[in-house]
Structures are given as structure tokens and as C-alpha cells.
């Protein structure tokens, strides 16, 4: 069944907790399995180097790096328009997929969904994914300093 829908945050967290401690990788994989239309979640650094991927399928690394670089450049350029404020995420609709990319400095979150996926459901997942990534974010931020 899908975990999608508005206001499903706390119940989704409870569903993710399950039995005992699970890894971030496992939690992201569960989200992919349990969310209708969600194909993958990829976490990269700002240069497009993959940190985590769920499911752990092999994808063209070069294309992933290009997509992440485009996202980083786009958010950097739009941040120059002060009236807009900081970009929270960018959603791109293609013929076959919907891509949502979010800044979670120093990480970039990318979720790929089927073209028929509910974009609102994928957007609703962002706070949960960010919560799951907090330890990873802190570790990588500590390595950059």
C-alpha cells in the first residue's frame, strides 16, 4: 500500500520505525517500495557524487552527476534574485518521469517518480527524507570543514 497522502508524516515515521533500528539505506528503500510511483531516491553531494541510492540499482553515474550539477547551478542562480528567497526544491516534469531535487546542504536529494506519480505525495516525502538524512548530513558537513 502507498504511504502517500497529506498529513501522513507521523504515521509514515511510525511505519518506518518497524522493529528495531534500521539503516538510512533500508529506510529509503522502504519508502521507494511503499510509495506509489516513486522509482528512486538518490542522495548526492553538491558535485553529484552519490552518497546513498535506493533502491541500490546501478544507474548511469555520469548522467546523475550532470543532473545534480544542473540543479546546483539553477538553485545558485535563482538565489541571486533576493525577492524569491532560497529555493526549497525544484520539480521537473519529463515525458516519462517527474524529478524532484531538494537542497539539504551539503547534500542534494533527488527523487524520481513515474510520470503518473502524484507530485504532491513526493513533495510531502521531503521532510521525512531530510529527517532520515540528518546523521549523514552532519557527518558530511563535518568532513567539509
Amino acid at each position: 500500500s502507498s504511504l502517500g497522502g497529506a498529513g501522513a508524516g507521523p504515521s509514515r515515521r511510525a511505519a518506518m520505525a518497524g522493529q528495531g533500528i534500521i539503516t538510512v539505506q533500508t529506510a529509503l528503500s522502504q519508502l521507494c517500495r511503499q510509495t506509489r510511483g516513486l522509482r528512486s531516491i538518490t542522495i548526492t553531494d553538491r558535485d553529484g557524487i552519490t552518497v546513498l541510492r535506493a533502491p541500490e540499482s546501478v544507474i548511469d553515474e555520469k548522467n546523475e552527476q550532470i543532473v545534480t550539477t544542473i540543479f546546483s547551478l539553477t538553485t545558485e542562480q535563482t538565489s541571486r534574485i533576493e525577492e524569491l528567497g532560497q529555493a526549497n526544491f525544484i520539480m521537473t516534469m519529463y515525458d516519462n518521469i517527474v524529478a524532484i531535487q531538494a537542497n539539504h546542504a551539503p547534500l542534494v536529494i533527488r527523487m524520481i517518480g513515474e510520470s503518473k506519480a502524484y507530485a504532491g505525495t513526493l513533495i510531502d516525502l521531503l521532510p521525512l527524507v531530510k529527517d532520515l538524512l540528518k546523521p549523514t548530513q552532519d557527518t558530511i558537513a563535518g568532513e567539509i570543514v
Side-chain angles (χ1 to χ4, degrees):
S1 70
S2 172
L3 289 176
S11 63
R12 205 176 282 144
R13 274 187 201 75
M16 296 301 295
Q19 302 248 343
I21 297 172
I22 60 173
T23 66
V24 174
Q25 178 69 51
T26 302
L28 294 176
S29 293
Q30 284 180 355
L31 275 178
C32 288
R33 281 193 306 273
Q34 297 173 346
T35 305
R36 184 179 303 133
L38 179 59
R39 287 187 187 176
S40 67
I41 301 172
T42 304
I43 312 304
T44 66
D45 66 12
R46 291 195 58 86
D47 297 322
I49 306 301
T50 300
V51 176
L52 290 165
R53 177 184 293 125
E56 296 181 68
S57 60
V58 176
I59 298 177
D60 184 349
E61 282 291 324
K62 183 178 178 186
N63 286 340
E64 280 196 347
Q65 287 178 341
I66 291 169
V67 169
T68 302
T69 300
I70 291 169
F71 167 76
S72 296
L73 292 172
T74 301
T75 56
E76 180 182 315
Q77 293 300 313
T78 59
S79 70
R80 293 179 184 200
I81 306 171
E82 292 181 18
E83 295 83 21
L84 295 178
Q86 182 66 37
N88 294 318
F89 64 88
I90 293 177
M91 180 172 63
T92 311
M93 308 282 287
Y94 297 96
D95 290 338
N96 299 320
I97 64 164
V98 58
I100 296 174
Q101 293 181 281
N103 188 14
H104 191 49
L107 303 173
V108 174
I109 300 166
R110 180 174 51 255
M111 294 189 291
I112 302 294
E114 298 170 358
S115 59
K116 63 183 179 233
Y118 295 110
T121 299
L122 301 181
I123 293 166
D124 286 346
L125 289 177
L126 281 173
L128 175 59
V129 173
K130 287 180 178 183
D131 286 349
L132 290 169
L133 290 171
K134 185 69 176 132
T136 307
Q137 178 189 32
D138 292 346
T139 300
I140 291 178
E143 290 177 2
I144 292 174
V145 176

